[in-house]
Amino acid sequence: PEPGRCAHFVLRKRRFCRMIPAPGRRFCGEHGHEEEQNDRKRIPCPLDPKHTVYEDQLQKHLKKCNSREKPKPVYFVQDINAGLKDVAEIPEKQVPLSCLSIEELQNLIIKLKKATNGLELHLKEQILSHQALQEALNDPKNGESAFKHLKQQASILGNMERLHLLGPGRCFVEFGAGRGKLSHWVDVALQNVESVQFLLVERATTRFKVDGKHKRRDSIFERLQVDIQHLCLNKVPILEKKKLPVVGIGKHLCGAATDLALRCLVESYTTCCDGENEEPAPKRSRAAETEVAPHRSAGNESTTEDHKPVAGIVIALCCHHKCDWTHYVGREFFKSVGLGPVEFHYFQRMSSWATCGMRETTSKAFTSGDSADQTDDTEEHEQTLSRTESGSDTLQGILSVEERKEIGCLCKRLIDHGRIEYLQQQGYKAALQYYTESAVSLENVLLTAVPSPSLIPEPTI
């Protein structure tokens, strides 16, 4: 062992422990049981067996162990945005795509093309930019990866400005915030605007956060470390106090996280939150929705919707293969076109063909498709694509790469259309558009939604 270091040899790492033992000891506290003169017994911690503790100090350790269950924040409401409650409707485990017969696969493709017939498959391009990022975009010190992220963030801000969502008296809620870069640029764009606050929602602890860069006194940044599935915005103290209109944003929000965020915004936040997850309102036709929407502010609906509305939603979509029928907001749409959980399972797996079919460009271009501008996230995406690719190798004799790519795109648009239908039923004007080039990110579709004119809130200053 190195001088002054623990004498325990770690077999897994093939080196000695690098912890510093107490004066006069050969081993650190973790490996102190190997000390000959130490007759105290060490046992695995019952909260996390990866570390040990002296048996006679167990009770003291349990009170301060980092693995102990921490008190839930006031805005934590179990499964409030989870969605499906009927266990009978949750699909059983399905066989992999590679195990399907040619006939079964062809039947799925026929169902897919029938369901997407008549849908708007050719999305409009809204590739915009914003002045707030021009200096960073022109900085030669930025590498290729950073430049791609900046282009995406600039276009997201440009689309927010196009929808008049960048203004005073708003609370911007960034879902899957990671380092908080998107909120950072929104803050830069609103540097001369009053009464602006940011809520950064991220379930995991995050390193290298950019929160410390926000020194303006008139903007407030707060992190909510909670899974979106359990987030009740109504109970966030700062929203309870100021009641600012909310703008939900995200880049990129993987799979089911998008559905959880949509339900968090348009259901649990715009209705009175009593701690229980209520079922969505019955599906209405668009004509009926048009008739009902203007009367919401007249007192026929919950008054909570009047003073706590959602001003808009702007989310860059990502990783449809990580969607989940349990959380999916477009289940009613799927049923209306004769599809169910079984078809959804296969379509969400087939959606990865839209990107992983491009074998030569995936490893390079898809590095811009991470959820939080972090290397670890990029690697996770690439590993997921590799697993999906290997599962589809057996289909090479049935479908060409281009055919798989086309089918994957159809699956993505079908899943996204279910989200659009859901938002329209909730009284929103929703749309999909390309917000950046595929060379910048293969996941280049942006979902936007703003309330019907009668629901647009007046900014609070």
Side-chain angles (χ1 to χ4, degrees):
E2 298 178 17
R5 302 289 178 170
C6 178
H8 173 78
F9 186 78
V10 186
L11 289 174
R12 181 174 61 86
K13 297 183 178 180
R14 298 180 182 181
R15 61 167 174 78
F16 285 94
C17 174
R18 291 173 180 169
M19 298 296 289
I20 301 176
R25 302 279 187 177
R26 294 181 59 242
F27 297 90
C28 66
E30 182 67 20
H31 305 117
H33 59 281
E34 299 182 27
E35 200 89 41
E36 292 181 2
Q37 65 269 30
N38 189 354
D39 57 356
R40 298 168 68 191
K41 182 180 179 183
R42 290 187 72 88
I43 60 173
C45 173
L47 299 178
D48 182 6
K50 291 181 180 179
H51 66 274
T52 61
V53 60
Y54 284 115
E55 188 174 27
D56 57 1
Q57 290 185 336
L58 177 61
Q59 296 306 316
K60 180 180 179 181
H61 171 79
L62 292 178
K63 294 179 181 179
K64 61 179 182 180
C65 179
N66 289 333
S67 298
R68 72 188 185 281
E69 185 177 357
K70 299 174 178 62
K72 302 296 184 186
V74 292
Y75 45 80
F76 180 97
V77 179
Q78 185 72 37
D79 293 330
I80 186 170
N81 304 313
L84 190 61
K85 295 170 66 176
D86 186 2
V87 180
E89 211 179 320
I90 299 177
E92 298 180 0
K93 188 175 181 180
Q94 305 292 333
V95 297
L97 277 172
S98 56
C99 295
L100 294 179
S101 66
I102 297 177
E103 184 180 359
E104 288 173 325
L105 181 62
Q106 289 174 338
N107 287 335
L108 279 173
I109 295 174
I110 291 172
K111 288 184 178 181
L112 173 66
K113 291 184 176 180
K114 182 180 178 181
T116 54
N117 186 31
L119 300 184
E120 182 57 53
L121 302 177
H122 301 286
L123 306 184
K124 184 179 180 181
E125 282 194 357
Q126 293 286 357
I127 303 175
L128 307 176
S129 189
H130 196 278
Q131 186 62 34
L133 289 93
Q134 288 309 305
E135 183 178 348
L137 285 168
N138 296 327
D139 188 350
K141 295 181 181 179
N142 287 320
E144 182 182 357
S145 178
F147 180 70
K148 288 181 177 181
H149 286 298
L150 289 168
K151 286 197 71 173
Q152 293 175 71
Q153 290 154 348
S155 185
I156 291 174
L157 261 67
N159 277 278
M160 292 175 67
E161 188 171 55
R162 176 177 63 86
L163 297 170
H164 308 291
L165 297 178
L166 293 178
R170 304 215 185 276
C171 175
F172 296 88
V173 182
E174 183 179 356
F175 294 93
R179 295 172 60 192
K181 277 292 192 70
L182 185 55
S183 292
H184 165 73
W185 289 115
V186 173
D187 183 50
V188 173
L190 298 174
Q191 57 183 339
N192 298 319
V193 176
E194 297 179 352
S195 188
V196 177
Q197 65 186 42
F198 296 86
L199 294 176
L200 280 63
V201 182
E202 179 60 62
R203 65 182 178 183
T205 55
T206 307
R207 301 173 64 194
F208 311 118
K209 298 185 287 287
V210 297
D211 304 30
K213 296 182 179 180
H214 313 120
K215 299 179 180 179
R216 291 197 299 119
R217 295 182 179 180
D218 52 346
S219 65
I220 302 172
F221 276 76
E222 181 179 343
R223 279 192 172 261
L224 308 180
Q225 188 175 339
V226 62
D227 194 309
I228 305 172
Q229 181 171 332
H230 314 299
L231 172 61
C232 179
L233 286 175
N234 277 318
K235 294 191 174 183
V236 177
I238 200 166
L239 283 179
E240 278 189 319
K241 180 181 179 181
K242 293 194 174 182
K243 298 181 175 61
L244 295 178
V246 162
V247 178
I249 59 177
K251 169 194 171 290
H252 292 118
L253 204 52
C254 283
T258 293
D259 299 297
L260 296 173
L262 294 179
R263 193 175 282 109
C264 175
L265 290 166
V266 306
E267 285 189 45
S268 67
Y269 183 58
T270 53
T271 58
C272 184
C273 179
D274 57 3
E276 295 182 1
N277 185 19
E278 300 178 359
E279 287 295 316
K283 183 176 180 180
R284 298 193 295 266
S285 66
R286 296 185 190 178
E289 183 65 39
T290 306
E291 294 175 2
V292 172
H295 300 289
R296 291 190 178 181
S297 59
N300 294 341
E301 296 283 339
S302 171
T303 56
T304 307
E305 194 168 357
D306 295 332
H307 70 271
K308 287 186 177 180
V310 174
I313 301 170
V314 180
I315 295 175
L317 303 174
C318 181
C319 294
H320 293 74
H321 61 277
K322 290 187 177 181
C323 290
D324 190 301
W325 178 258
T326 304
H327 305 311
Y328 182 51
V329 296
R331 291 193 304 269
E332 291 301 320
F333 163 71
F334 256 63
K335 293 175 184 177
S336 70
V337 292
L339 303 175
V342 175
E343 290 83 5
F344 180 84
H345 165 80
Y346 290 118
F347 290 163
Q348 54 104 196
R349 298 308 303 168
M350 291 158 65
S351 69
S352 64
W353 295 354
T355 52
C356 73
M358 302 171 66
R359 292 177 178 272
E360 295 181 359
T361 58
T362 295
S363 59
K364 296 181 180 180
F366 202 79
T367 56
S368 63
D370 62 87
S371 60
D373 297 359
Q374 296 182 19
T375 304
D376 292 343
D377 292 327
T378 303
E379 291 174 354
E380 179 185 348
H381 282 247
E382 290 176 347
Q383 290 167 2
T384 303
L385 284 175
S386 298
R387 288 193 295 270
T388 311
E389 271 190 299
S390 61
S392 62
D393 282 344
T394 56
L395 303 174
Q396 285 185 2
I398 306 170
L399 299 169
S400 68
V401 171
E402 285 302 316
E403 287 174 329
R404 278 188 288 166
K405 180 185 174 184
E406 181 184 355
I407 291 170
C409 289
L410 286 179
C411 291
K412 283 178 174 285
R413 297 295 78 79
L414 185 67
I415 293 172
D416 290 339
H417 188 79
R419 291 164 170 166
I420 296 296
E421 288 274 331
Y422 166 80
L423 290 168
Q424 289 173 343
Q425 292 163 17
Q426 298 289 336
Y428 287 80
K429 181 181 179 182
L432 299 168
Q433 52 262 308
Y434 293 118
Y435 77 103
T436 191
E437 301 90 349
S438 58
V440 173
S441 174
L442 294 179
E443 298 283 13
N444 60 342
V445 174
L446 188 71
L447 183 151
T448 60
V450 292
S452 299
S454 60
L455 296 178
I456 296 177
E458 291 294 330
T460 303
I461 301 178

